[in-house]
Amino acid sequence: MQEPTDCIFCAIVAGRAPAAIVYRDEHVTAFLDLFPVVPGHLLIVPNRHAKGLTELDADAAARMVAVAQRLAAAVRRSPMPCEGINLFMAEGPVAGQTVFHCHLHVLPRHGSDGFHLGGSFLERLNPGRDDLDTLAASLRSALAALE
Ligand code: 5GP
Ligand code: ZN
């Protein structure tokens, strides 16, 4: 995909906008979030513009997860207080995406960080086994139909 001229993460990857870069290689760049929800909040982005996970090249997606794993290990070795890690990715406004260049959030977690996942993530639905089986079957069909 052609790089959009107004994409802030493309500008960061290209060095046209400032960022506190922590890691980069030929596929991905990781930098600190400008408006962190917890200290050390990191973003990992593909170097080549992709709007969301669905458009993302599979190799870049795999690289993003591998780099998240390495960054999580590095955070744990750094002086930053960290007892756990959350990974988060949003695709589409309804899911909370606000910057439309795919990115994986890496959130170092600490018991006193005051960060709470949205209440609805903790309130669970309770579908029956038949509903789960029907849904799984339709997803298997959709998977099989992918090129
Ligand atoms: P989303 O809401 O799309 O999942 O996450 C977008 C993230 O990008 C937010 O956490 C936001 O703070 C971060 N962000 C937005 N603009 C900038 C920027 O110019 N630089 C950096 N480093 N982070 C940004
Ligand atoms: Zn971009």
Side-chain angles (χ1 to χ4, degrees), residues 9-134:
F9 289 174
C10 280
I12 288 173
V13 167
R16 286 185 278 105
I21 291 182
V22 173
Y23 175 83
R24 69 174 299 147
D25 63 28
E26 60 181 313
H27 300 295
V28 303
T29 300
F31 50 88
L32 286 167
D33 196 296
L34 195 55
F35 309 103
V37 297
V38 291
H41 181 169
L42 287 154
L43 300 171
I44 304 170
V45 308
N47 292 342
R48 184 188 293 187
H49 184 87
K51 203 163 119 191
L53 181 65
T54 307
E55 292 90 352
L56 188 62
D57 171 81
D59 289 340
R63 190 73 197 137
M64 286 168 76
V65 173
V67 169
Q69 192 179 27
R70 295 270 298 163
L71 287 176
V75 163
R76 287 181 176 280
R77 282 166 181 250
S78 77
M80 188 185 313
C82 176
E83 298 167 351
I85 309 271
N86 281 119
L87 298 183
F88 177 75
M89 180 184 282
E91 179 174 270
V94 73
Q97 187 176 11
T98 59
V99 176
F100 296 95
H101 178 134
C102 184
H103 50 278
L104 182 59
H105 296 260
V106 180
L107 306 178
R109 298 300 312 280
H110 186 263
S112 61
D113 62 26
F115 178 75
H116 299 287
L117 291 167
S120 59
F121 191 77
L122 303 174
E123 290 163 20
R124 302 308 180 100
L125 306 174
N126 188 18
R129 173 59 52 193
D130 287 351
D131 287 343
L132 292 173
D133 288 343
T134 301

